[in-house]
Amino acid sequence: MTESRNYRLVHGGGDEAEIPHVLIVGGGYLGMYTARRLEKRLGPGEARITVIDPNSYMTYQPFLPETAAGNISPRHVVVPLRKVFDRVRVLGGRVVRIDHAERTVRYEPNVGEPETLHYDHIVLAAGAVSRTLPIPGLAEWGIGIKTVEEAAYLRNHVLNQLAVADSTDDADVRAKALRFVFVGGGFAGAEAVAELEDLVRDAVRMYSSIGLEDVRFYLIEAADKILPEVGPEVGTKALNQLRQRGIDVRLKTFLESATDQRVKLSDGTEFDAGTLVWTAGVKPSPVVEASDLPLGPKGHVDTSEFLTVNGVENAFAGGDNAQVPDGNGGYYPPNAQNAVRQAPVLADNVVATLRGGKLKAYRHKNLGAVAGLGLHKGAAQLFGKIRLNGRLAWYAHRAYHLYAVPTFNRKMRVLADWTLAFLLRRDFAALPEMIEPRHAFEEASAPQIVQDGHLRRVS
């Protein structure tokens, strides 16, 4: 379906100016599910619905560690937005300013000049970005694992580091290439280091010059535990699992510097490392601050239990960029589980606002948490009572996320990836050149001469 056709479907018939415009900023969990429910509940003449996101797809982030390990294809963890909508207009670009008093946003399309868009109701579902610190060298050498592009790059990079180590006799170069540092012991960090350690453990069998004893994986965590989401008992067992696999987990430790890939830790340890993955927290999308909407103490949108923005009308928020009260004096964790469950409540409250109905409060009891820690390994806490480790937790992790990933199409593709991984050996093909796909063409296009027996490019 083309965007122009999508746009006509949104408007339906009648006077376009008289049809309320619902603008959704962000196409992630909250944005996509809210838009889907709105188009099901609202007729073409009741509202125009627009979603703005830099990407044309929603990313199922819990699968990113498995994508980095090569267990799931990158294409299978994203859901094309235009594929799941019938009457929603999708705009590729980013909102850089929200002026709710004037009911306008400043929108920068991916290609073209910035525009000012008007709306009647706004849903802020912009999500979160990696929360970095002013650590020397982090911005130059670190990489997150918040996007499918980062996950795909990380897999190619890690496998390429093995190739680098195998291609030289320089002990320092080899040692640097075979050190992998992950900062942050939450879900993202623990799952990423576990999945990639699994990948490397299998991959080194192809290299006669590299043994498992040559590889060093580090997980650096500032707190005194990892995986706080699964509770202390399961978290401790997960910690022991990682350490038994040879992963150097350092608690109550900070990254102080990474200048020129020289890693310095707060415990005095210092070494070169070719891989630095940063997963130490997230913060609301920058567009949240670039708005006139009221914010909470940590920079999230100040949201009521009805997922309306406090102090203003016709503004709604949820997910990673909002603080939603839980009814017990605290706030719901800004995670995927809450974002998916907030979407139908938020959409229904938008419909109620348009029709003059009664709003519904968001209430959700945590069902638990599951973490995958590599093939046949995991940690889980279910319904507050059931605690699992190892293979049973891994089954629970895969079962839950196969159920939760959007669309039947993606469920079948992920299941096919897992089935092939079970039947066939792991694929170790790396394509590090993908980050600069035009390099080979540019090199071939440049004039070259033979000088002193060497082929040199003419500048």
Side-chain angles (χ1 to χ4, degrees):
M1 180 181 293
T2 65
E3 185 170 301
S4 59
R5 181 179 172 224
N6 219 348
Y7 184 69
R8 288 196 296 272
L9 285 170
V10 167
H11 287 73
D15 186 357
E16 161 187 329
E18 295 179 358
I19 301 176
H21 183 202
V22 179
L23 178 64
I24 301 173
V25 181
Y29 299 105
L30 184 70
M32 187 191 79
Y33 282 111
T34 297
R36 288 181 72 182
R37 189 169 180 90
L38 283 174
E39 74 171 359
K40 288 179 181 178
R41 294 208 56 198
L42 296 171
E46 284 192 270
R48 296 181 289 126
I49 308 166
T50 303
V51 173
I52 298 179
D53 196 281
N55 299 313
S56 61
Y57 51 80
M58 172 265 204
T59 302
Y60 191 72
Q61 292 183 350
F63 280 155
L64 292 182
E66 286 201 65
T67 301
N71 296 330
I72 302 176
S73 167
R75 293 181 296 108
H76 298 166
V77 301
V78 298
V79 180
L81 293 176
R82 292 178 177 86
K83 185 72 173 178
V84 299
F85 298 141
D86 292 321
R87 295 184 294 105
V88 175
R89 188 185 187 195
V90 178
L91 297 179
R94 63 184 70 248
V95 172
V96 296
R97 171 67 191 171
I98 299 173
D99 187 351
H100 189 66
E102 298 295 327
R103 302 295 195 273
T104 63
V105 299
R106 189 64 172 169
Y107 156 67
E108 291 183 352
N110 290 333
V111 178
E113 295 298 317
E115 304 174 25
T116 297
L117 302 181
H118 295 262
Y119 64 84
D120 298 290
H121 300 76
I122 191 169
V123 176
L124 201 55
V129 298
S130 295
R131 175 175 57 85
T132 59
L133 300 174
I135 298 173
L138 176 60
E140 291 79 11
W141 300 107
I143 182 172
I145 189 166
K146 284 282 293 176
T147 69
V148 67
E149 293 85 1
E150 287 175 326
Y153 167 82
L154 193 54
R155 178 179 184 275
N156 286 322
H157 170 78
V158 167
L159 291 174
N160 189 55
Q161 292 299 101
L162 299 182
V164 168
D166 184 56
S167 302
T168 180
D169 293 325
D170 188 312
D172 292 336
V173 173
R174 282 173 55 86
K176 177 180 177 180
L178 296 176
R179 292 192 186 109
F180 306 91
V181 180
F182 293 72
V183 182
F187 266 115
E191 290 189 320
V193 71
E195 291 285 356
L196 286 163
E197 191 274 341
D198 238 14
L199 170 68
V200 170
R201 180 180 292 271
D202 286 347
V204 294
R205 299 171 184 171
M206 300 191 305
Y207 299 94
S208 58
S209 69
I210 303 175
L212 280 176
E213 67 278 4
D214 300 320
V215 180
R216 297 285 184 272
F217 273 86
Y218 300 84
L219 179 60
I220 312 302
E221 170 54 47
D224 61 354
K225 57 187 174 183
I226 66 168
L227 291 174
E229 301 90 344
V230 299
E233 181 180 335
V234 178
T236 299
K237 290 183 178 180
L239 172 63
N240 292 335
Q241 280 189 51
L242 296 181
R243 284 177 167 166
Q244 287 170 6
R245 290 161 58 179
I247 298 174
D248 189 345
V249 183
R250 303 200 182 189
L251 305 178
K252 299 181 182 179
T253 306
F254 302 87
L255 174 67
E256 292 188 342
S257 174
T259 303
D260 295 329
Q261 297 186 297
R262 183 72 177 175
V263 172
K264 296 182 181 179
L265 304 179
S266 60
D267 63 4
T269 306
E270 186 174 336
F271 54 84
D272 290 333
T275 304
L276 175 61
V277 182
W278 179 267
T279 66
V282 296
K283 62 182 180 181
S285 169
V287 71
V288 171
E289 188 176 358
S291 76
D292 58 353
L293 297 173
L295 305 182
K298 295 184 178 181
H300 300 78
V301 182
D302 187 14
T303 310
S304 75
E305 62 180 347
F306 303 102
L307 303 177
T308 57
V309 179
N310 289 320
V312 299
E313 295 181 344
N314 300 339
F316 303 80
D320 289 354
N321 61 194
Q323 57 173 40
V324 180
D326 61 9
N328 298 312
Y331 300 98
Y332 288 105
N335 56 26
Q337 184 180 134
N338 277 299
V340 171
R341 287 164 175 78
Q342 286 168 1
V345 177
L346 192 155
D348 289 349
N349 285 345
V350 172
V351 173
T353 301
L354 288 167
R355 295 175 179 173
K358 185 178 179 180
L359 302 185
K360 180 171 62 175
Y362 174 71
R363 290 288 181 264
H364 171 60
K365 183 178 180 180
N366 185 17
L367 301 178
V370 290
L373 300 176
L375 191 62
H376 302 151
K377 297 175 282 288
Q381 183 182 52
L382 308 176
F383 310 110
K385 298 179 180 180
I386 303 174
R387 297 174 178 85
L388 303 174
N389 283 279
R391 188 180 291 265
L392 287 178
W394 181 75
Y395 286 141
H397 172 267
R398 287 205 160 182
Y400 171 77
H401 286 300
L402 186 63
Y403 165 79
V405 67
T407 77
F408 180 78
N409 181 298
R410 260 41 193 176
K411 293 180 195 294
M412 291 299 100
R413 291 180 183 273
V414 168
L415 186 59
D417 284 341
W418 285 343
T419 303
L420 288 173
F422 176 76
L423 297 174
L424 305 174
R425 295 188 62 184
R426 192 192 292 263
D427 182 10
F428 299 113
L431 302 172
E433 293 82 5
M434 287 181 65
I435 193 171
E436 295 182 22
R438 296 189 67 253
H439 176 73
F441 185 80
E442 291 172 347
E443 190 173 68
S445 302
Q448 296 178 334
I449 61 172
V450 175
Q451 187 178 53
D452 299 327
H454 296 279
L455 188 64
R456 304 184 186 281
R457 179 185 296 184
V458 178
S459 58

